[in-house]
Amino acid sequence: METTNHTPIEYSTEEGSNKILGFWVFLGAEIVLFSALFSVYLVLHSHTAGGPTSKDLFEVKEFMIETFLLLISSFTCGLGTIELRRHNVKGLVAWLVVTLLLGLGFIGMELNEFITYVTVEHATLQTSAFLSGFFVLVGTHGAHVSFGIVWMICVIIQLLRRGVTPVTARKAFIIGLYWHFLDVVWIFIFTAVYLTGLVL
Amino acid sequence: MIENIKSFLGSFFVTGDPMIYGADASIALATIGIVFYLTYFKKWKWLWDEWLTTVDHKKIGIMYIIAAILMLFRGGVDALLMRAQLIIPNNTFLTSQHYNEIFTTHGTIMIFFMAMPFIFGLMNIAIPLQIGARDVAFPFLNAVSFWLFFLAAMLFNISFVIGGSPDAGWTSYAPLAGLKLDPGVGENYYLVALQISGIGTLATGVNFLVTIFKMRAPGMTLFKMPMFTWSTLVTSIIIIFAFPVLTIALALMSIDRLFGAHFFTIEAGGSPMMWANLFWIWGHPEVYIVLIPVLGIFSEVISTFAHKTLFGYKAMVWSMIAISVLSFTTWLHHFFTMGNTAWVNSFFSVSTMIIAIPTGVKIFNWLFTLNKGRIEFTTAMLWALAFIPNFTIGGITGVMLSLAPADYQYHNSYFLIAHFHNVLIAGTVFGVFAGLHYWWPKMFGHVLNERLGKWAFWVFMISYNICFLPMYFIGLMGMTRRMYTFPSGLGWEPLNLVITLGAFGMGVGFLIMVWMIVYSAKYGKRDTTGDPWNGRTLEWATSSPAPEYNFAHIPQVETVDAFAHMKEKGTAGNIYKAPFQAIHMPNDTGIPFILSVFFFIAGFGLVFEWYWMAIPGTIGIIVSMIVRSFKDHEDHHHIPAEEVEQTERAAGRLS
Ligand code: HEM
Ligand SMILES: [Cu+2]
């Protein structure tokens, strides 16, 4: 087992540590990207143009379950990183698979939510500026999660094939960063879109 | 059936204009010529092996610069067409629609497909060499950036023969650029092409930031970095914070146009003014993205040819950092007249004026560097020296524009056109020309002809002033921008004539420059030492053109102007002293090119809303990324020590 004063394996090569720094920087850009979307959404929140408002649409139970699925998946992803540090491929892959399933559950619920809005409530992307902002902000997050699922599958296959090497360790670590980041973004969506949307 | 095909082709290709038919013919001829040349001389494999699959930062830099020069030509032709239309009152050379398309493509191409790639090309050439590295941090990603830019530029450029060009200005303001007022594919080209090249630009920002943070030669602390490296670092940070906003702005407008959303529409609660905000939150930092790197180039050139260390190194760095922060606080000065409150306008007025302070600091530092220097008037130095007064005029008129009440008078007039060309040309264009002359020997192993270079400089620089100085006055006389014709009797005739003559003079300057490049390739003085200018920074420590691995041994840095210091101490030879070791280098790969071709296919499909094309294109993108993910475990090779020795010997570096 690695002790704390050793460099973790994903940082052990120059390439690995460069790529991890590069990914952190990329996440900085992602923060800007989501900030822009949040600002657009918040500005347009009241522009409902006679269509449904956030109060009409949001269901506490639904978005609470989505939130729990994603938060737990972030936790299991973190457990995976601990196994990575132990060089335990099996444990790592197992936790990544759990993470992935939770992620799929989240995406399933979100799709269901969108479909309900569109078919039952007649609240579509084209209805009002508020709904354009809502679908695009939440949808962009959902697209990120879906992308993350495909990516995580690729990483899992590579881990199974090659075991924990500096390269696969780096990949597992970076997908973890990405996954936690999406969780953080969701917390903001939870607060700024759903909770706020219930009261305002 | 035949009728259907006919009507499809009639709307697919732009028809009815003899100039467009001429362009069609010349594009077809050029393509046939290139294909014939490559086939006849059996060059396809060479093209693929040496260029399309390369990850070498020096070759990528060269490709960037070639593409940028082609785009300078295209954007320049657009400019000359506009000025030909405005040479006399009531001219009918261009219709209003055609004029709209041309100023839009001119502005867009000059900013996105000329200025930025030219700068990225020079960064690619110089940065790894200046910091004593073997390549950038992410060579694969670097190739992706280039090919995304290149194919996006091609996508944008075909718009004028296939489907029609965008026509809502390079700022593409809503609601004018929305579907209601601007149906057709033109604006889609703008949105999709800029989106694709923007992804590449963001990747470049990340890449150079990490390169500069992590790959510097031992001993090179941040405050011992060359000034161009500093300017690239600062620019990368601006890119990382600014480009995602453009990504969002473009995406939202695309969703409006393609899927009927209401972000920027007038109906259903959309907010057209939000486009202006998003666009300029990216757009003002963007002008610093194309300015700050050339400030770095001027610093290198001025210190090299004044044969002195740069005056006020720390002040230079801190002023750049200050400019980069302030660049995010001024975006609203582009629409003072859109009805903001007085307090909002005042805030942005003051924040804009403040930028003049760090900029002034830099001007004085260059002047003090020149002071008591032993100045050598090479062509590169002439461009740098001409920058100082010409750019200062642009800067001063910029401060005039920043006064919100006065801007109600200047706004969207030729005064503004004159101002931003004064900073973009005297800043960016003079800067990349200076950089081109300065680093040319490092790229190709020979020096550009000085006599022709000076001719090009004087013709271009004088014509530039003949073209743009009168614009200030004609703007004050009331001529607005984006005007496709003007009536007689307003007293605008003489100045418009002069402006057009100046524009064509700049065209002549450009042609001399092209001739200079061709001439120098054949007759240019060979650079056998690797150090033709008695340079001060590490790129001059290796041979010209630099070997694939850049440095046989990674240099040890002790001071700023590391190479000048090594020459004084007599340790400059250490980087090519035997014995050598094997060198670890990244493998070439075709994936970046293929990935970008899929982006092109998906993008073209989106422009025409042909989902049968866009969806397979997108799948191609994802598959390319997955293939890359599975293949990057062994993507390096070693150059054996003997080969390093041979290369150094061939460069005349070993006795
Ligand atoms: C080569 C010499 C150049 C000439 C003669 C020239 C001339 C012009 C003219 C006549 C216009 C349009 C005025 C109108 O609104 O009707 C224009 C617009 C513009 N130019 Fe240039 N230009 C030159 C180079 C450049 C360069 C190097 C850049 C950028 C790096 C640039 C960026 C722009 C932009 C952004 C616009 C605004 C387009 C719009 O209104 O949407 N130009 N230029
Ligand atoms: Cu600005």
Side-chain angles (χ1 to χ4, degrees):
Chain A
M1 207 187 113
E2 295 272 293
T3 53
T4 40
N5 33 14
H6 282 122
T7 320
I9 177 166
E10 66 271 15
Y11 283 98
S12 62
T13 60
E14 190 196 3
E15 193 192 346
S17 73
N18 284 355
K19 285 196 171 160
I20 293 171
L21 175 65
F23 198 77
W24 275 108
V25 176
F26 170 73
L27 288 183
E30 286 269 65
I31 291 177
V32 180
L33 185 121
F34 276 104
S35 313
L37 276 177
F38 273 107
S39 335
V40 169
Y41 172 79
L42 292 174
V43 169
L44 298 179
H45 176 253
S46 58
H47 296 209
T48 49
T53 64
S54 53
K55 265 189 193 157
D56 300 336
L57 289 175
F58 298 160
E59 293 287 343
V60 179
K61 193 173 129 228
E62 303 275 315
F63 71 73
M64 284 310 280
I65 300 179
E66 286 173 22
T67 306
F68 276 113
L69 285 177
L70 206 62
L71 286 187
I72 297 171
S73 82
S74 202
F75 180 65
T76 56
C77 184
L79 293 178
T81 310
I82 295 181
E83 296 302 325
L84 168 70
R85 293 282 160 83
R86 294 198 179 122
H87 292 212
N88 174 2
V89 189
K90 277 204 191 123
L92 168 59
V93 169
W95 284 123
L96 287 184
V97 170
V98 175
T99 308
L100 201 137
L101 292 175
L102 289 165
L104 277 174
F106 169 83
I107 289 292
M109 291 215 46
E110 186 162 87
L111 276 180
N112 184 45
E113 180 192 338
F114 282 10
I115 291 171
T116 316
Y117 290 169
V118 172
T119 54
V120 183
E121 317 265 0
H122 301 290
T124 68
L125 181 78
Q126 294 84 7
T127 308
S128 66
F130 153 62
L131 283 166
S132 301
F134 169 79
F135 280 113
V136 170
L137 169 58
V138 181
T140 304
H141 175 267
H144 273 75
V145 176
S146 314
F147 183 83
I149 289 174
V150 176
W151 180 5
M152 202 176 272
I153 294 173
C154 294
V155 174
I156 291 175
I157 298 174
Q158 294 174 39
L159 279 166
L160 290 175
R161 277 200 193 159
R162 296 172 188 265
V164 176
T165 68
V167 178
T168 54
R170 178 202 85 219
K171 293 187 179 204
F173 186 76
I174 287 181
I175 182 87
L177 287 181
Y178 182 73
W179 202 264
H180 295 311
F181 168 75
L182 293 182
D183 207 41
V184 174
V185 174
W186 180 260
I187 308 242
F188 279 91
I189 292 184
F190 176 74
T191 337
V193 177
Y194 288 102
L195 289 186
T196 316
L198 284 182
V199 288
L200 284 181
Chain B
M1 184 65 194
I2 305 255
E3 278 310 301
N4 278 342
I5 294 180
K6 255 195 184 159
S7 81
F8 166 74
L9 290 179
S11 61
F12 185 67
F13 291 107
V14 178
T15 49
D17 186 318
M19 283 205 293
I20 299 282
Y21 290 133
D24 288 338
S26 47
I27 292 174
L29 281 177
T31 314
I32 294 171
I34 292 170
V35 171
F36 177 78
Y37 175 85
L38 290 171
T39 314
Y40 189 79
F41 291 99
K42 302 201 172 57
K43 290 277 190 187
W44 284 104
K45 190 166 158 26
W46 166 82
L47 183 70
W48 178 259
D49 288 348
E50 295 290 317
W51 298 98
L52 301 190
T53 60
T54 187
V55 293
D56 183 337
H57 68 95
K58 301 176 287 295
K59 285 187 180 167
I60 290 177
I62 289 173
M63 291 194 288
Y64 263 121
I65 290 171
I66 293 173
I69 292 176
L70 287 176
M71 289 297 112
L72 178 60
F73 175 74
R74 157 81 212 258
V77 170
D78 283 345
L80 295 186
L81 289 175
M82 286 189 285
R83 284 319 309 174
Q85 163 67 14
L86 294 175
I87 189 168
I88 47 167
N90 301 315
N91 200 358
T92 54
F93 172 60
L94 297 177
T95 62
S96 61
Q97 174 60 23
H98 203 163
Y99 192 89
N100 291 350
E101 293 180 13
I102 290 183
F103 71 66
T104 304
T105 54
H106 165 77
T108 311
I109 285 177
M110 284 298 197
I111 301 278
F112 287 91
F113 301 131
M114 190 289 286
M116 279 204 292
F118 215 132
I119 285 167
F120 292 166
L122 294 171
M123 286 179 182
N124 263 289
I125 302 286
I127 294 298
L129 291 169
Q130 282 201 328
I131 61 174
R134 294 240 150 88
D135 206 321
V136 292
F138 311 123
F140 175 91
L141 190 66
N142 200 23
V144 172
S145 292
F146 170 73
W147 288 111
L148 285 180
F149 143 69
F150 184 78
L151 284 153
M154 292 302 110
L155 183 64
F156 189 84
N157 270 278
I158 58 172
S159 66
F160 82 109
V161 288
I162 297 180
S165 293
D167 55 2
W170 89 282
T171 50
S172 193
Y173 269 8
L176 176 62
L179 197 55
K180 275 259 166 66
L181 299 174
D182 202 345
V185 297
E187 281 306 303
N188 296 355
Y189 269 115
Y190 172 96
L191 296 167
V192 174
L194 298 195
Q195 189 68 283
I196 295 175
S197 78
I199 300 169
T201 304
L202 180 63
T204 301
V206 175
N207 209 340
F208 278 88
L209 183 76
V210 177
T211 304
I212 295 172
F213 267 139
K214 303 269 284 195
M215 314 263 293
R216 299 189 310 276
M220 185 182 279
T221 56
L222 285 178
F223 277 87
K224 287 180 189 156
M225 297 196 308
M227 201 46 68
F228 183 54
T229 305
W230 256 115
S231 68
T232 302
L233 176 62
V234 171
T235 306
S236 303
I237 294 173
I238 305 183
I239 289 177
I240 290 158
F241 284 107
F243 262 77
V245 183
L246 178 71
T247 305
I248 290 302
L250 295 170
L252 299 187
M253 192 181 272
S254 308
I255 296 172
D256 268 7
R257 289 181 60 92
L258 300 181
F259 306 113
H262 292 288
F263 288 104
F264 310 123
T265 57
I266 305 179
E267 68 278 5
S271 167
M273 197 162 162
M274 195 149 63
W275 167 268
N277 276 294
L278 290 173
F279 184 86
W280 287 112
I281 287 174
W282 159 81
H284 193 83
E286 166 68 10
V287 307
Y288 287 98
I289 293 171
V290 297
L291 182 70
I292 288 185
V294 301
L295 301 183
I297 296 175
F298 290 129
S299 297
E300 301 291 349
V301 169
I302 288 176
S303 123
T304 303
F305 295 113
H307 300 283
K308 276 175 68 186
T309 305
L310 193 66
F311 183 90
Y313 179 99
K314 288 215 165 131
M316 283 297 208
V317 172
W318 287 111
S319 58
M320 267 190 306
I321 294 174
I323 293 176
S324 72
V325 174
L326 290 171
S327 75
F328 284 91
T329 64
T330 66
W331 76 89
L332 194 133
H333 62 212
H334 295 275
F335 44 98
F336 281 141
T337 56
M338 258 190 217
N340 318 288
T341 61
W343 279 109
V344 171
N345 272 0
S346 318
F347 173 87
F348 284 93
S349 195
V350 173
S351 66
T352 305
M353 282 183 250
I354 290 176
I355 294 199
I357 299 170
T359 315
V361 167
K362 301 188 76 74
I363 299 274
F364 282 108
N365 277 327
W366 287 310
L367 293 178
F368 283 121
T369 307
L370 291 169
N371 183 28
K372 303 211 176 110
R374 189 160 44 77
I375 299 175
E376 204 184 328
F377 290 95
T378 57
T379 312
M381 185 64 159
L382 288 180
W383 286 112
L385 292 176
F387 151 79
I388 297 176
N390 285 306
F391 180 84
T392 305
I393 298 175
I396 290 171
T397 53
V399 176
M400 290 169 71
L401 284 158
S402 78
L403 299 157
D407 186 58
Y408 274 72
Q409 196 61 36
Y410 309 134
H411 185 65
N412 273 359
S413 72
Y414 260 76
F415 189 90
L416 170 76
I417 300 282
H419 153 71
F420 71 67
H421 284 87
N422 236 314
V423 280
L424 279 168
I425 296 184
T428 305
V429 176
F430 285 16
V432 295
F433 286 170
L436 193 71
H437 277 269
Y438 185 60
W439 283 304
W440 191 270
K442 203 38 78 183
M443 294 154 66
F444 296 107
H446 62 263
V447 182
L448 285 171
N449 183 283
E450 282 286 316
R451 195 174 43 86
L452 287 171
K454 283 179 184 156
W455 267 102
F457 164 77
W458 286 109
V459 172
F460 193 95
M461 201 272 291
I462 292 172
S463 311
Y464 150 79
N465 277 298
I466 296 176
C467 181
F468 289 100
L469 288 183
M471 284 192 195
Y472 286 114
F473 299 99
I474 208 162
L476 294 177
M477 287 159 81
M479 182 153 161
T480 60
R481 75 188 286 198
R482 299 177 178 173
M483 223 175 159
Y484 85 102
T485 186
F486 63 95
S488 54
L490 293 171
W492 295 356
E493 290 93 336
L495 286 181
N496 268 316
L497 177 68
V498 173
I499 292 171
T500 301
L501 292 180
F504 279 87
M506 292 167 80
V508 174
F510 177 77
L511 291 180
I512 302 177
M513 213 175 279
V514 172
W515 170 238
M516 165 192 75
I517 289 176
V518 176
Y519 179 90
S520 314
K522 211 161 159 51
Y523 303 107
K525 195 169 110 259
R526 301 294 124 176
D527 169 23
T528 48
T529 60
D531 182 19
W533 313 122
N534 194 8
R536 314 180 68 79
T537 42
L538 287 177
E539 70 267 38
W540 307 111
T542 188
S543 47
S544 292
E548 184 195 348
Y549 48 77
N550 291 356
F551 300 96
H553 300 290
I554 295 295
Q556 280 285 338
V557 175
E558 285 167 34
T559 58
V560 235
D561 290 347
F563 182 50
H565 181 72
M566 286 177 188
K567 285 190 279 191
E568 266 165 40
K569 271 188 23 185
T571 55
N574 285 354
I575 69 154
Y576 48 87
K577 207 152 75 191
F580 298 102
Q581 280 163 351
I583 295 175
H584 186 73
M585 294 301 291
N587 287 348
D588 288 352
T589 155
I591 297 177
F593 178 72
I594 295 169
L595 171 79
S596 307
V597 170
F598 281 121
F599 263 101
F600 182 92
I601 295 171
F604 192 81
L606 274 185
V607 167
F608 283 86
E609 299 181 57
W610 292 345
Y611 293 101
W612 54 267
M613 187 172 181
I615 292 168
T618 312
I619 294 174
I621 296 170
I622 295 170
V623 171
S624 312
M625 288 163 78
I626 293 178
V627 171
R628 159 67 183 171
S629 169
F630 279 86
K631 284 183 72 166
D632 80 336
H633 294 264
E634 292 95 20
D635 66 345
H636 285 74
H637 64 280
H638 281 92
I639 302 179
E642 304 80 66
E643 196 183 320
V644 176
E645 184 168 341
Q646 274 165 19
T647 311
E648 293 296 313
R649 200 177 292 285
R653 302 221 127 191
L654 293 177
S655 44

